[in-house]
Amino acid sequence: MTFSSVVGQSALTTTLKNAVKSGKLAHAFLFCGPRGVGKTTCARIFAKTINCEHITPDGEACNECESCKAFNEQRSLNIFELDAASNNGVDDIRKLIDQTRIPPQIGHYKVFIIDEVHMLSPAAFNAFLKTLEEPPSYVVFILATTEKHKLLPTIISRCQIYDFERMDVPHTVGHLKMVAAKEGITYEEEALNLIAEKADGGMRDALSIFDQCVSFCGGDLTYDKVVTNLNVLQSDNYFKMVDLCLNNKVADTMVLLNNILASGFDGGQLINGLAKHIRNVLMAKDPATLTLLEASEQQREKYRLQAQQCPPKFLYQTLRYCNDCDINYRQSSNKRLLVEITLIEIAQVTQDDDGSAARRSRKILKSLFRKLAAASPKTAAAQVAVAGKQNARKTPAVAAPTNTASNKEQSNTTARTATPAAPTTHTPTSTNAPTGGAQPTGGAQPTGGMQPIGGPQRRPAIGSRPNLGGKSLSFRSLQNQQQQTAQAEEPEITNKEEHKTFSEEDLQREWMGMCNRMMKPMPGLAARMKNITPHITSYPNIELVVDNRQLLDQIDQIKGRIRKTMAIYLHNGDIDFTLRLAEAEEVKPIMTKRELFDSMRNENDAVELLRALFDLELA
């Protein structure tokens, strides 16, 4: 009814009252801000006040004159309200403009309140511009909107803008106390604080929730009843969860999470609430930021006590983990697992800073993971990646390490050795897997010390004299050493009892599959090998014709492993490989995709017919 009844907008109401007292009114006002903060209410009070015949000294309406009585009884002819959400066309604006031509019969001004003005169509805005800029002297427009950014700049520039603030919790609680006192409702302050937080800055929302809770509680608002009615997760759960994570009690944290989810709460809701709780704890660490907490004094004290126990590192890391979980929550296919991993990470933040119990639990966790890693089979991709890195560093080919300790021992051995040592072989425990496929369980190497393709060191160029360990090797000794290394690395065919026949098509299919498995660890060599087409010379002997010496040397180093791979995948243990350098007339240029396609079209008219019928293009 009056400006004094407006909550939380003292700056705006003071400005409007001063404008009424001075009589200096703009012809158009724009009230913008969040929902439920009093925009339409202030517009109605302002329209009533400027038409009052006996304005009070402080700029309020008297509520006694004929104009005020007509407004209070909702029969005033000087105030018009238009809902732009449902009346947003050009015809509606034209009707409004026609009404502006009639002067007021009682009072001083005709006030037009257009609510949700951003919903007007562009044509309606354009029809409204001229009247808004130069209305009659007795017309005042008040535009209200929650989305100022959707208004045309030409509309905004013609208005006096008032930005309404979001309601804070203390103002909302104070107003709810006043309403409860007038209605004779008993309450707990914690319950009113919870309603104010749930309203999220909107007084209209707060009053709606308050009315709903009063109906549920029967006139006695208690915290527990409000929590039950609003289905809000109690803050005690967050305090308890933070205490458990500080003490690295992962199991108890998982139990608490299960109880919360079993109560019907969503994992994303829990993470968002925990992030807000951690933010409040962080604000409570410093007395200067303690006032930023929108909570009751009792809650502030609880935040302050917990903030004394939480190191800053824990709070910062927890906020980061919660933020990452919130970002990935919608895309996750296993949302509960994502929340559990997040809470486990939070519970491990303070392990390094805690006492012996935390350190012991961390050692147990690490040893468990070490056992799992040792027990799980190594994939061929991982082995090839290790071998590829060794090849890139120009180090001798060695067996894949099974754990950190053996890796360190192997590095020390390599550093002490002047010449490259032959790779270590392991006795198999199961059927050996082909190159690029699944490996035997336990991480054991195949029979014969078969290494992933790309593992052995590239041979030095003929005639070079590498310096190993400070000693120069002669050409003959280098040759002997390479022969011994090649013999030691020659893998053994484990399926000699298989004699399944295979065709050229089978051979080329398995060859391409092996090259595809090599693409990740050895992309260069695999891409060049894809351009080679193996052929069966005298069954089951296979010939590879290579067009350059460098590629021939690289394939020759892994020839034994290629042979073993083909033997396993083609199910024939009698396979043998022959490598030779292509003759000059055998070398053919590598064709691009466009050249291959043109060749296919020239050789087969049906391909060109298919392309023409469907209007196809080569991607």
Side-chain angles (χ1 to χ4, degrees):
M1 300 298 291
T2 60
F3 284 119
S4 59
S5 63
V6 178
V7 181
Q9 310 295 342
S10 58
L12 294 180
T13 55
T14 301
T15 304
L16 293 175
K17 286 193 291 185
N18 290 337
V20 171
K21 287 190 294 184
S22 63
K24 298 178 180 178
L25 302 178
H27 63 276
F29 297 85
L30 176 60
F31 291 175
C32 49
R35 70 185 189 279
V37 294
K39 299 185 296 296
T40 307
T41 300
C42 283
R44 291 170 180 166
I45 296 174
F46 183 65
K48 169 187 173 181
T49 305
I50 61 178
N51 279 311
C52 180
E53 299 176 0
H54 308 290
I55 299 176
T56 62
D58 59 350
E60 294 279 10
C62 66
N63 287 320
E64 295 178 357
C65 64
E66 179 59 28
S67 176
C68 291
K69 290 180 180 180
F71 177 84
N72 294 339
E73 296 171 3
Q74 298 183 0
R75 55 181 176 84
S76 176
L77 300 177
N78 293 340
I79 300 174
F80 299 88
E81 287 193 37
L82 177 69
D83 180 18
S86 55
N87 302 280
N88 54 8
V90 177
D91 293 337
D92 300 309
I93 293 299
R94 286 175 179 169
K95 291 178 182 178
L96 184 145
I97 294 174
D98 290 339
Q99 293 179 4
T100 62
R101 298 171 183 165
I102 304 174
Q105 302 301 315
I106 300 176
H108 308 288
Y109 298 96
K110 293 191 75 169
V111 183
F112 294 87
I113 302 174
I114 305 178
D115 206 1
E116 303 297 336
V117 69
H118 64 274
M119 300 293 289
L120 288 178
S121 64
F125 271 128
N126 293 330
F128 187 45
L129 279 177
K130 187 63 176 177
T131 304
L132 183 64
E133 183 177 14
E134 297 179 357
S137 59
Y138 50 82
V139 171
V140 174
F141 290 107
I142 303 179
L143 314 181
T145 179
T146 56
E147 301 182 47
K148 183 174 69 172
H149 61 278
K150 292 186 177 181
L151 297 181
L152 297 177
T154 50
I155 294 290
I156 296 177
S157 64
R158 287 166 167 81
C159 300
Q160 199 172 86
I161 302 172
Y162 289 81
D163 288 307
F164 283 68
E165 298 178 356
R166 175 178 169 272
M167 299 287 181
D168 56 10
V169 171
H171 279 111
T172 305
V173 171
H175 188 67
L176 293 179
K177 287 181 179 179
M178 183 268 294
V179 174
K182 287 186 176 181
E183 298 292 334
I185 299 170
T186 59
Y187 58 86
E188 292 181 1
E189 189 163 348
E190 287 296 320
L192 297 183
N193 273 278
L194 183 58
I195 293 174
E197 292 177 7
K198 185 74 173 178
D200 194 25
M203 182 62 71
R204 183 172 62 237
D205 292 347
L207 291 172
S208 299
I209 297 172
F210 177 81
D211 190 20
Q212 172 187 339
C213 293
V214 167
S215 300
F216 177 78
C217 300
D220 182 16
L221 285 178
T222 62
Y223 179 77
D224 293 336
K225 290 181 180 180
V226 171
V227 165
T228 304
N229 181 246
L230 299 181
N231 195 29
V232 176
L233 188 59
Q234 293 192 26
S235 60
D236 292 342
N237 290 286
Y238 298 123
F239 283 103
K240 184 178 180 181
M241 185 169 290
V242 171
D243 291 336
L244 293 175
C245 292
L246 278 174
N247 296 320
N248 314 120
K249 296 181 179 180
V250 177
D252 295 338
T253 305
M254 294 297 101
V255 173
L256 178 59
L257 171 64
N258 183 71
N259 294 336
I260 292 173
L261 296 180
S263 301
F265 294 100
D266 182 64
Q269 180 183 357
L270 170 65
I271 291 298
N272 289 331
L274 181 60
K276 183 178 179 180
H277 177 84
I278 294 297
R279 178 260 180 193
N280 291 341
V281 174
L282 184 62
M283 294 297 105
K285 285 191 73 69
D286 193 332
T289 57
L290 186 61
T291 56
L292 299 179
L293 296 184
E294 295 184 345
S296 62
E297 291 299 327
Q298 182 181 358
Q299 285 288 96
R300 288 186 182 183
E301 182 63 20
K302 293 174 67 175
Y303 282 123
R304 189 186 64 81
L305 293 176
Q306 190 169 74
Q308 295 176 355
Q309 303 173 5
C310 297
K313 174 188 174 183
F314 171 79
L315 298 176
Y316 298 148
Q317 287 288 89
T318 302
L319 284 174
R320 184 170 66 86
Y321 288 142
C322 291
N323 184 61
D324 293 342
C325 180
D326 183 49
I327 293 173
N328 300 322
Y329 189 79
R330 290 187 178 180
Q331 289 76 23
S332 176
S333 58
N334 192 340
K335 294 179 170 44
R336 174 164 182 163
L337 180 60
L338 177 63
V339 175
E340 289 175 345
I341 291 175
T342 302
L343 294 180
I344 290 173
E345 290 175 333
I346 294 172
Q348 292 179 339
V349 170
T350 59
Q351 279 187 341
D352 292 337
D353 302 330
D354 283 352
S356 59
R359 287 196 293 271
R360 282 199 302 271
S361 64
R362 188 179 185 189
K363 289 181 180 178
I364 293 173
L365 190 63
K366 283 191 173 182
S367 65
L368 172 63
F369 288 157
R370 190 182 299 119
K371 291 176 182 178
L372 290 175
S376 61
K378 287 183 175 292
T379 62
Q383 292 184 355
V384 173
V386 172
K389 292 180 181 178
Q390 292 174 351
N391 189 30
R393 293 196 298 266
K394 303 295 184 182
T395 58
V398 294
T402 58
N403 53 47
T404 306
S406 62
N407 191 18
K408 292 182 179 178
E409 180 181 355
Q410 187 176 357
S411 301
N412 296 334
T413 305
T414 305
R416 293 194 300 267
T417 306
T419 59
T424 306
T425 61
H426 299 272
T427 304
T429 58
S430 61
T431 304
N432 297 321
T435 303
Q439 296 297 326
T441 58
Q445 296 292 341
T447 305
M450 179 180 177
Q451 300 293 325
I453 289 181
Q457 183 185 9
R458 183 178 296 175
R459 295 179 179 177
I462 296 177
S464 63
R465 299 172 61 86
N467 192 329
L468 301 176
K471 298 180 181 181
S472 300
L473 298 179
S474 64
F475 177 74
R476 185 176 299 278
S477 63
L478 183 61
Q479 272 189 327
N480 294 336
Q481 178 185 341
Q482 290 177 351
Q483 292 175 359
Q484 294 172 0
T485 302
Q487 292 174 359
E489 292 178 352
E490 186 67 24
E492 180 183 353
I493 302 297
T494 58
N495 60 332
K496 293 182 178 180
E497 69 282 356
E498 291 188 288
H499 305 286
K500 184 178 179 180
T501 59
F502 59 90
S503 62
E504 288 271 359
E505 182 180 355
D506 298 331
L507 171 62
Q508 294 175 11
R509 182 182 66 250
E510 298 302 336
W511 175 267
M512 192 60 61
M514 181 187 68
C515 293
N516 289 333
R517 293 190 294 271
M518 292 172 56
M519 281 304 294
K520 186 174 182 180
M522 307 166 63
L525 180 58
R528 290 191 291 272
M529 287 176 61
K530 279 187 176 183
N531 296 323
I532 301 175
T533 304
H535 295 286
I536 302 174
T537 53
S538 57
Y539 188 87
N541 295 327
I542 300 170
E543 183 183 54
L544 296 179
V545 181
V546 187
D547 57 2
N548 68 80
R549 170 64 63 180
Q550 183 180 9
L551 180 58
L552 180 68
D553 292 340
Q554 292 180 354
I555 298 178
D556 189 43
Q557 293 181 15
I558 59 175
K559 172 184 173 183
R561 284 172 285 172
I562 294 176
R563 176 171 173 257
K564 181 172 182 178
T565 300
M566 291 292 102
I568 292 176
Y569 276 94
L570 293 173
H571 303 284
N572 193 316
D574 299 330
I575 287 179
D576 194 12
F577 267 86
T578 302
L579 289 174
R580 70 177 178 86
L581 192 64
E583 302 294 337
E585 60 273 8
E586 293 179 309
V587 177
K588 297 180 180 179
I590 300 175
M591 302 176 67
T592 63
K593 293 182 178 180
R594 169 62 65 180
E595 292 172 342
L596 287 173
F597 179 66
D598 292 339
S599 175
M600 292 172 59
R601 289 195 299 168
N602 296 332
E603 294 176 3
N604 193 338
D605 295 336
V607 176
E608 173 59 24
L609 179 61
L610 176 68
R611 186 205 64 79
L613 287 175
F614 291 95
D615 194 19
L616 302 177
E617 294 182 0
L618 184 65

